[in-house]
């Protein structure tokens, strides 16, 4: 704790004087009775002449801060009052900047408003009252100061987003603040938006995933509307995708039933030979990528020939691929399950559904529109972090509410994926015909390998929405 005098900034040497000044600061503008000061300075063991000792401490404090006439630490029955102006106390100055911003600058953000907010944030140099003895009153005041600083930081982020000033310092401050206060959703929302505005889309998506998992694990709740909107804004902005050239042409996807199993398919760049071949074969093309059989062919030309032969046999019209392909119907009479639970996914309140014969909810359907980032077969660096994104369409007549992608265990006898992924990823709510972007944060292992992770769409009760369809998946090669 320091005070500014005619000789500059000076420390307050005595621990009890620092505590006395801190108590007056915490109650600035209000009279603190002498009896309460005694209880605070000597809890449980007050001196016999406590009032006289407090009077002596106040006199020493006035001399230390240059208050020779007693106009700052004012004697007022039944105790003392700190009569500080905003330009005489950092916390009051910062609070005044925030009030002025909300009163006028919030409606018309400007660089000048940003500078004022920066100046207020710069008043924090360390933890408040770090060198003052612990006290419950000061704990409450520290919490008030922390809330004030976070309000200032959020206001600064709003100004930065409005005027295009989202530099490294703002990102650094928001990153530190979200780490220290991970349950403050409004802070996460601004952090996601500022990262996005700084063209750090992958970091923005990763920040959202981090916030999502913290909120789910710590509080058992979904992100609020503001944070979900920030996430959707990032997903909807394709202009800043790091893999822009790998974007899939949504109008040119081949029919899923005519393709090899979605679990086994991969992708390959189109060569000039393949481009020429598909002109006469009518093969559905996926941007710059071909879907081909899992047999690894020796050359792109051989791949093209295989695709042409496959298309000639099927003669299917190109259309979006079902997200999870239909499994063959079982020969035995399928079991039934009583769906007595009612939920937002559209499940009826009573009745039975045939397990393995169709979707969990009649009329429900999903379509994989695009592998938006990291098409299957992409290479990623060891220990890297990346975000896999799919574009998915609600192709049925049922609105999707509270749905998720659930990571599936490996096949019996198969090795688990070396990539680290969240167990469950929330899907945005969407009505029939709508499209959503689904992002999954992935951490690659620290050694070269291949990663294959399968996912199924489930409802809030963890029931598979399409039990008879194969999962959606991603497959990457991890290289050094």
């Amino acid at each position: 704790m320091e005070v500014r005098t005619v000789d500059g900034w000076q420390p307050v040497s005595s621990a009890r004087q620092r505590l006395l000044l801190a108590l007056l600061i915490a109650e600035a503008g209000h009279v603190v009775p002498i009896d309460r000061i005694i209880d605070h300075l000597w809890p449980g063991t007050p001196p016999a002449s406590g009032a006289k000792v407090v009077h002596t401490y106040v006199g020493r404090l006035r001399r230390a801060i240059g208050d020779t006439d007693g106009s700052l630490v004012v004697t007022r029955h039944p105790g003392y009052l700190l009569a500080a102006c905003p330009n005489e106390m950092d916390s009051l100055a910062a609070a005044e900047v925030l009030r002025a911003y909300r009163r006028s600058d919030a409606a018309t953000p400007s660089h000048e408003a940003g500078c004022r907010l920066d100046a207020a944030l710069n008043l924090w140099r360390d933890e408040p009252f770090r060198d003052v003895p612990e006290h419950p009153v000061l704990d409450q005041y520290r919490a008030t100061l922390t809330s004030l600083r976070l309000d200032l930081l959020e206001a600064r982020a709003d100004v930065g987003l409005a005027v295009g000033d989202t530099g490294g310092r703002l990102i650094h401050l928001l990153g530190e603040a979200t780490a220290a206060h991970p349950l403050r959703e409004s802070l996460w929302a601004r952090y996601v938006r500022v990262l996005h505005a700084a063209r750090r889309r992958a970091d923005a998506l990763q920040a959202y995933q981090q916030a999502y998992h913290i909120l789910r694990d710590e509080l058992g709740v979904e992100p609020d509307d503001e944070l979900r909107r920030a996430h959707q804004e990032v997903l909807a902005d394709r202009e800043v995708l790091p893999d822009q050239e790998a974007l899939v042409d949504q109008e040119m996807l081949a029919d899923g039933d005519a393709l090899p199993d979605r679990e086994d398919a991969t992708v390959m760049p189109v060569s000039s030979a393949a481009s020429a071949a598909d002109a006469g074969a009518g093969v559905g093309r996926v941007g710059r990528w071909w879907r081909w059989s899992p047999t690894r062919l020796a050359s792109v030309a051989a791949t093209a020939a295989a695709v042409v032969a496959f298309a000639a046999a099927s003669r299917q019209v190109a259309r979006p691929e079902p997200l999870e392909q239909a499994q063959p119907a079982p020969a035995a009479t399928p079991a039934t399950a009583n769906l007595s639970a009612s939920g937002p996914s559209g499940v009826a309140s009573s009745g039975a559904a045939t397990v393995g014969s169709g979707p969990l909810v009649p009329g429900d359907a999903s379509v994989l529109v695009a592998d938006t980032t990291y098409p299957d077969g992409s290479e990623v660096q060891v220990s890297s972090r990346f975000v896999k994104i799919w574009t998915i369409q609600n192709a049925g007549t049922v609105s999707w509410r509270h749905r998720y992608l659930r990571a599936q265990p490996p096949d019996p006898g198969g090795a688990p994926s070396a990539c680290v992924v969240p167990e469950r990823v929330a899907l945005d709510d969407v009505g029939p015909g709508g499209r959503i972007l689904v992002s999954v944060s992935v951490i690659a292992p620290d050694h070269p390998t291949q990663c294959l992770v399968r996912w199924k769409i489930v409802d809030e009760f963890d029931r598979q929405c399409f039990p008879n369809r194969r999962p959606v998946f991603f497959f990457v090669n991890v290289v050094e």
Side-chain angles (χ1 to χ4, degrees):
M1 178 178 289
E2 294 178 317
V3 294
R4 186 173 57 197
T5 67
V6 293
D7 298 322
W9 287 101
Q10 302 293 329
V12 180
S13 57
S14 168
R16 279 210 170 90
Q17 282 189 5
R18 289 196 298 271
L19 179 55
L20 173 60
L21 179 56
L23 293 171
L24 293 172
I25 288 174
E27 301 280 350
H30 302 278
V31 175
V32 183
I34 290 179
D35 290 345
R36 195 193 309 171
I37 294 176
I38 293 173
D39 291 339
H40 291 334
L41 294 182
W42 299 278
T45 57
S49 56
K52 291 183 179 180
V53 177
V54 169
H55 181 72
T56 301
Y57 277 1
V58 169
R60 292 174 182 173
L61 179 61
R62 283 170 173 162
R63 288 193 296 274
I65 64 178
D67 182 26
T68 57
D69 58 357
S71 60
L72 185 57
V73 180
V74 179
T75 302
R76 184 171 299 176
H77 184 77
Y80 298 95
L81 171 146
L82 183 65
C85 300
N87 63 343
E88 295 175 313
M89 200 167 82
D90 288 349
S91 57
L92 296 180
E96 179 59 31
V97 169
L98 183 62
R99 281 193 295 269
Y101 167 79
R102 290 173 172 172
R103 189 166 53 243
S104 57
D105 294 337
T108 56
S110 64
H111 287 285
E112 292 75 13
C115 291
R116 288 189 287 271
L117 291 167
D118 281 335
L121 288 169
N122 288 337
L123 295 174
W124 273 263
R125 294 172 294 167
D126 206 336
E127 180 71 19
F129 305 127
R130 181 173 54 87
D131 58 347
V132 177
E134 292 292 329
H135 194 280
V137 172
L138 299 186
D139 291 342
Q140 296 174 11
Y141 190 59
R142 284 190 186 97
T144 300
L145 292 179
T146 297
S147 179
L148 171 61
R149 183 177 182 272
L150 295 178
D151 287 343
L152 286 165
L153 183 55
E154 290 182 354
R156 180 63 182 87
D158 291 341
V159 171
L161 291 167
V163 302
D165 179 14
T166 54
R169 180 177 182 272
L170 181 57
I171 291 174
H172 175 73
L173 291 175
L174 287 168
E176 285 188 335
T178 53
H181 308 279
L183 301 182
R184 183 160 170 143
E185 292 173 271
S186 56
L187 199 62
W188 280 108
R190 286 165 173 85
Y191 188 34
V192 169
R193 286 193 168 108
V194 168
L195 285 169
H196 179 213
R199 303 184 67 82
R200 292 171 56 176
R201 188 183 187 203
D203 289 336
L205 292 172
Q206 185 177 348
Y208 174 80
Q209 289 294 337
Q210 185 179 359
Y212 170 80
H213 290 297
I214 289 173
L215 293 169
R216 186 191 66 179
D217 296 342
E218 296 291 332
L219 301 180
V221 299
E222 301 290 332
D224 64 9
D225 290 342
E226 182 183 10
L227 183 50
R228 288 171 68 91
R229 281 195 300 270
H231 180 226
Q232 190 62 38
E233 289 166 9
V234 180
L235 293 175
D237 184 3
R238 294 188 149 199
E239 188 173 345
V240 295
L241 273 173
D243 303 294
Q244 186 71 28
E245 292 187 355
L247 285 178
V248 180
D249 182 355
Q250 298 180 2
E251 303 299 327
M252 301 293 287
L253 285 168
D255 179 75
D257 295 331
L259 290 172
D261 289 346
R262 181 66 179 87
E263 286 183 316
D264 301 323
T266 185
V267 292
M268 192 100 181
V270 176
S271 70
S272 57
S275 299
D278 83 299
V283 177
R285 187 163 53 85
V286 187
R288 298 174 58 215
W289 300 90
W290 281 90
R291 296 190 180 278
W292 60 301
S293 112
T295 305
R296 297 191 177 277
L297 303 179
S299 66
V300 174
T303 301
V307 173
V308 171
F310 179 77
S314 61
R315 295 297 181 185
Q316 297 289 338
V317 178
R319 60 182 182 271
E321 174 186 354
L323 174 61
E324 300 175 2
Q325 296 182 19
Q327 302 270 20
T333 303
T336 60
N338 185 12
L339 303 180
S340 58
S342 176
S345 298
V347 178
S349 59
S350 63
T354 302
V355 177
S357 65
L360 179 66
V361 183
D364 200 2
S366 60
V367 166
L368 173 66
V369 178
D371 282 321
T372 309
T373 63
Y374 295 94
D376 298 323
S378 297
E379 291 186 348
V380 298
Q381 296 295 311
V382 295
S383 302
S384 64
R385 296 173 179 263
F386 62 96
V387 179
K388 171 66 182 181
I389 303 176
W390 296 277
T391 302
I392 296 176
Q393 181 175 8
N394 180 347
T397 59
V398 178
S399 293
W400 292 359
R401 299 287 184 270
H402 300 286
R403 296 202 178 185
Y404 306 84
L405 280 188
R406 163 73 73 176
Q408 299 299 296
D411 292 333
S417 172
C419 286
V420 178
V421 297
E423 182 180 354
R424 195 170 74 159
V425 177
L427 304 184
D428 288 320
D429 296 343
V430 63
R435 292 181 177 183
I436 56 174
L437 292 167
V438 184
S439 65
V440 176
S441 296
V442 186
I443 303 176
D446 59 1
H447 59 276
T449 185
Q450 293 179 331
C451 286
L452 173 64
V453 183
R454 298 177 174 90
W455 306 78
K456 296 284 287 184
I457 295 180
V458 299
D459 66 5
E460 63 179 329
F461 305 108
D462 219 30
R463 298 174 298 188
Q464 292 188 9
C465 298
F466 307 100
N468 67 323
R469 293 184 179 274
R470 290 189 175 90
V472 66
F473 70 89
F474 78 79
F475 167 75
V476 294
N477 292 302
V478 183
V479 299
E480 291 183 320

